[in-house]
């Protein structure tokens, strides 16, 4: 059985991947405005998800530490 921290690890890796893709889209030399608008949106979404993953991981860690005798 997987622990919740494994899923948080996967979510953080997806957040990093999304940030990287957003940065690469912003750096494209192609002048397509519709495509270039995705870059900042992906970067913002990845930062929000990374914050949520860290907050949830902190809460789970505190619960785990408090529940142990």
């Amino acid at each position: 059985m997987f622990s919740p921290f494994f899923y948080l690890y996967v979510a953080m890796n997806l957040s990093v991947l999304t940030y990287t893709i957003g940065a690469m889209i912003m750096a494209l030399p192609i002048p397509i405005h519709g495509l270039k608008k995705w870059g900042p949106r992906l970067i913002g979404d990845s930062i929000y998800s990374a914050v949520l993953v860290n907050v949830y991981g902190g809460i789970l860690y505190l619960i785990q530490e408090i529940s142990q005798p």
Side-chain angles (χ1 to χ4, degrees), residues 3-5 11 15 20-21 23 25-27 33 38-39 42 48 50-52 58 61 63 65 68-69:
S3 92
F5 294 104
S15 177
T20 305
I21 291 172
I25 286 175
M26 284 181 60
H33 184 66
W38 283 358
L42 285 173
Y48 291 143
V51 167
L52 289 174
Y61 178 75
I63 290 171
E65 287 296 316
Q68 291 179 356

Side-chain angles (χ1 to χ4, degrees), residues 14-28 30 32-48:
L14 286 174
S15 177
V16 170
L17 178 66
T18 304
Y19 186 90
T20 305
I21 291 172
M24 291 206 291
I25 286 175
M26 284 181 60
L28 281 176
I30 301 170
I32 300 174
H33 184 66
L35 181 66
K36 291 268 210 183
K37 287 194 313 187
W38 283 358
R41 172 99 185 200
L42 285 173
I43 289 174
D45 288 347
S46 68
I47 291 171
Y48 291 143

